């Protein structure tokens, strides 16, 4: 059985057994059993939707911490562009980057620089005539895992290019190693992440054998430290280590549609929020979107600025980022600053890349005959169930309960309606049985 690492975890002591999480999980990875939620590892894609929905905060994301920096001789922060949206326009990006130096990092390298490289690679890839269309962005690891689990037939549609953070980590590690005289494993590269899926991608990389990222720290985790150390005026002497180098196009990846703009894709479909993404992928699987060249899919509403590990309201963050991008675009125009125009194949990984394997969840059994029998059980049971999809049974819907019954992990009476029917039938049987009992001896004797 395959082993999985998941950033999303359950805090059982906080779980009240409500059905909020099971109703919102896009892969039906959660069940309520024994009054507590249970996460099926093979189905979970670490999108963080359950973290957002749980009213009792029983779901959390496991990430690294600042104390882990001591394990490396030189540490480089890789801030996601969405980090900038957590702060108002009065705080320049240079101050945010210098703040990262103040909390313990030796250098800062913007993930937006990796985004500019990926945008160029995507633009070139879409010029090919031998690819499956629509091509699907591989930048969001939750969407890639959704395809692995729920739409394995669409894996060939994924653009074979690493996510921007992986490219950024590879570039800076390759450059700094020789300069500092350090081996790659002595250089820590730390992603400041807006979502748990990125943490999972570090431990179990997609499309590569080993990640160039040492670890991931949640934006929510470093935010309070940054607030205490943000310089009002960034140190000019530290500019080489914390100055903004990425253009507004690279930083624009924080919002939905930013990737498409940076990659200069005209015939593109932009979809965000994991359930909307799933709906669109349903149409791709049915062959309805063959006329679209590219799909930019993002698990979080609004894009990475809406990640569950951010601190700011998504709409406020989106407004801030769009205002910041507008000012940056004007500034870049005045200064003649251009986004990156070319890239080296080695920056994309080249030989390091490997095929993304499917993780289909609908396989009922390895034995084909047992699987066919379970399908029959499912179909029979589904006809018996009420079809209300209320979730009271602990499964997200009636079809999922039928599957659980076929797999032996649930019973028909887990359905409250079937249980009520059973209790009613038992009561009727008791009444019928009582009527058939012989009269008591007392009555026979006239007493």
């Amino acid at each position: 059985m395959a082993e999985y690492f998941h950033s999303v975890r359950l805090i059982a002591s906080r779980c009240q057994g409500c059905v909020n999480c099971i109703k919102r999980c896009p892969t039906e990875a959660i069940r309520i059993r024994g009054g507590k939620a249970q996460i099926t590892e093979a189905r979970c894609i670490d999108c963080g939707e359950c973290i957002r929905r749980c009213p009792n905060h029983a779901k959390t994301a496991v990430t690294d911490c600042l104390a882990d920096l001591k394990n490396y001789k030189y540490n480089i922060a890789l801030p996601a562009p969405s980090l900038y949206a957590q702060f108002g326009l009065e705080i320049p990006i240079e101050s945010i980057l210098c703040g990262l130096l103040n909390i313990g990092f030796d250098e800062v390298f913007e993930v937006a620089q990796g985004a500019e490289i990926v945008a160029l690679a995507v633009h070139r890839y879409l010029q090919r005539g031998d690819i499956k269309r629509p091509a699907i962005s591989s930048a969001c690891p939750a969407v890639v895992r959704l395809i692995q689990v729920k739409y394995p037939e669409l894996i060939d549609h994924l653009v074979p290019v690493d996510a921007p953070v992986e490219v950024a980590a590879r570039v800076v590690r390759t450059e700094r190693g020789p300069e500092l005289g350090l081996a790659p494993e002595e250089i820590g590269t730390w992603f400041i992440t807006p979502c748990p899926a990125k943490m999972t991608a570090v431990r179990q990389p997609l499309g590569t054998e080993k990640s160039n990222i040492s670890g991931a720290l949640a934006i929510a985790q470093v935010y309070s430290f940054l607030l205490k150390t943000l310089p009002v005026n960034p140190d000019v002497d530290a500019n080489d280590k914390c100055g903004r180098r990425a253009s507004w196009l690279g930083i624009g990846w924080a919002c939905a549609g930013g990737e498409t703009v940076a990659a200069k894709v005209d015939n593109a479909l932009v979809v965000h929020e994991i359930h909307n993404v799933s709906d669109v992928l349903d149409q791709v699987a049915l062959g309805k979107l063959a006329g679209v060249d590219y799909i930019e899919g993002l698990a979080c509403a609004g894009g990475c600025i809406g990640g569950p590990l951010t601190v700011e309201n998504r709409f406020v963050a989106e407004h801030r980022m769009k205002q910041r991008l507008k000012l940056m675009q004007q500034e870049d125009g005045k200064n003649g600053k251009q986004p990156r125009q070319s890239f080296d194949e080695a920056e994309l990984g080249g030989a390091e890349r490997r095929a993304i394997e499917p993780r289909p969840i609908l396989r009922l059994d390895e034995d084909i005959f047992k699987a066919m029998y379970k399908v029959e059980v499912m179909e029979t049971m589904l006809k018996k169930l009420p079809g209300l999809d209320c979730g009271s049974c602990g499964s997200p819907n009636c079809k999922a309960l039928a599957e659980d019954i076929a797999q032996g992990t649930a019973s028909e009476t887990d359905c409250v309606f079937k249980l009520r029917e059973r209790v009613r039938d038992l009561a009727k049987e008791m009444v019928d049985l009582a009527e058939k009992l012989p009269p008591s001896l007392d009555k026979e004797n006239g007493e």
Side-chain angles (χ1 to χ4, degrees):
M1 182 179 292
E3 293 185 4
Y4 301 102
F5 171 87
H6 289 292
S7 173
V8 175
R9 307 287 176 86
L10 171 73
I11 304 175
S13 60
R14 295 181 184 176
C15 181
Q16 300 299 310
C18 72
V19 298
N20 285 298
C21 58
I22 70 171
K23 300 297 288 184
R24 294 297 298 175
C25 179
T27 58
E28 299 180 352
I30 308 175
R31 300 290 191 273
I32 304 297
R33 297 288 182 260
K36 300 289 184 180
Q38 295 180 2
I39 302 175
T40 304
E41 290 194 351
R43 290 175 178 260
C44 179
I45 60 174
D46 291 284
C47 63
E49 189 67 13
C50 56
I51 296 176
R52 253 188 284 264
R53 301 296 174 178
C54 182
N56 301 301
H57 306 289
K59 312 296 188 304
T60 188
V62 175
T63 58
D64 296 296
C65 61
L66 289 171
D68 295 324
L69 272 62
K70 68 178 184 299
N71 298 325
Y72 297 86
K73 292 183 177 180
Y74 191 82
N75 290 286
I76 304 170
L78 305 170
S82 50
L83 174 65
Y84 311 149
Q86 311 307 304
F87 301 91
L89 297 181
E90 70 279 4
I91 300 176
I93 289 177
E94 287 77 9
S95 289
I96 300 171
L97 301 183
C98 284
L100 290 170
L101 293 181
N102 293 337
I103 64 175
F105 293 99
D106 299 298
E107 183 182 344
V108 180
F109 190 89
E110 291 181 282
V111 170
Q113 295 185 69
E116 291 184 18
I117 295 172
V118 173
L120 291 170
V122 169
H123 181 78
R124 186 184 67 176
Y125 180 78
L126 293 177
Q127 308 310 308
R128 293 171 49 176
D130 61 341
I131 63 174
K132 289 193 174 183
R133 297 182 189 272
I136 302 173
S137 170
S138 56
C140 177
V143 171
V144 174
R145 293 186 189 279
L146 176 67
I147 291 173
Q148 279 185 297
V149 168
K150 200 173 179 182
Y151 306 95
E153 69 274 23
L154 300 182
I155 284 181
D156 290 343
H157 288 256
L158 286 167
V159 175
V161 178
D162 285 333
V165 63
E166 188 68 41
V167 173
R170 181 183 296 115
V171 169
V172 71
R173 216 175 210 179
T174 302
E175 290 178 355
R176 295 299 173 271
E179 291 177 7
L180 301 171
L182 296 175
E185 58 271 15
E186 295 178 306
I187 300 175
T189 50
W190 303 91
F191 183 41
I192 313 302
T193 179
C195 79
K198 299 288 176 66
M199 177 64 189
T200 301
V202 172
R203 300 296 177 86
Q204 288 191 327
L206 295 162
T208 184
E209 188 68 33
K210 184 179 180 181
S211 176
N212 286 282
I213 310 165
S214 305
L217 294 91
I219 286 178
Q221 180 184 351
V222 302
Y223 180 75
S224 59
F225 293 101
L226 282 175
L227 283 180
K228 298 174 184 177
T229 59
L230 282 176
V232 178
N233 296 308
D235 186 355
V236 177
D237 295 332
N239 196 54
D240 288 342
K241 291 189 175 183
C242 69
R244 178 175 73 84
R245 296 180 179 85
S247 73
W248 70 274
L249 281 174
I251 292 173
W253 279 55
C255 296
E259 176 185 353
T260 299
V261 172
K264 300 177 182 177
V265 186
D266 295 325
N267 183 19
L269 187 157
V270 178
V271 55
H272 50 97
E273 201 279 324
I274 194 67
H275 295 91
N276 294 331
V277 172
S278 187
D279 290 342
V280 168
L281 292 178
D282 281 336
Q283 295 196 45
V284 176
L286 292 172
K288 293 183 177 181
L289 296 177
V292 176
D293 286 335
Y294 192 61
I295 293 178
E296 177 187 339
L298 299 150
C300 299
C304 293
I305 55 169
L309 302 186
T310 57
V311 296
E312 189 53 87
N313 174 276
R314 191 262 285 189
F315 297 98
V316 173
E318 184 175 13
H319 174 74
R320 286 176 176 175
M321 180 55 75
K322 288 182 176 178
Q323 292 298 309
R324 195 183 287 274
L325 289 173
K326 187 176 180 180
L327 294 174
M328 289 169 58
Q329 186 175 6
Q330 295 172 354
E331 181 184 331
D332 288 354
K334 290 179 182 178
N335 299 333
K337 184 178 181 63
Q338 295 291 325
R340 189 156 175 168
Q341 301 297 314
S342 62
F343 64 92
D344 191 301
E345 289 295 333
E347 295 175 322
L348 295 177
E352 293 181 21
R353 283 202 60 80
R354 62 177 180 175
I356 295 176
E357 299 292 333
R359 278 172 42 191
I361 58 174
L362 298 179
R363 183 179 297 170
L364 294 173
D365 201 286
E366 295 294 336
D367 187 311
I368 184 64
F369 296 106
K370 290 182 179 179
M372 291 174 65
Y373 170 73
K374 289 180 179 180
V375 169
E376 291 179 6
V377 173
M378 281 180 59
E379 292 177 348
T380 301
M381 189 56 59
L382 192 56
K383 292 177 181 177
K384 294 182 178 180
L385 296 174
L388 297 175
D389 297 338
C390 64
S392 298
C393 59
S395 299
N397 50 57
C398 291
K399 182 178 179 182
L401 177 59
E403 179 184 343
D404 293 343
I405 293 171
Q407 294 285 39
T409 59
S411 64
E412 184 177 346
T413 52
D414 284 333
C415 172
V416 293
F417 297 96
K418 300 302 291 184
L419 178 61
R420 186 171 62 185
E421 288 178 9
R422 182 61 177 153
V423 170
R424 183 187 61 203
D425 292 343
L426 284 172
K428 186 176 183 302
E429 289 177 12
M430 292 293 291
V431 171
D432 292 342
L433 183 61
E435 291 177 351
K436 294 178 181 178
L437 288 174
S440 67
L441 294 176
D442 292 339
K443 289 184 177 180
E444 288 180 356
N445 296 329
E447 296 181 5

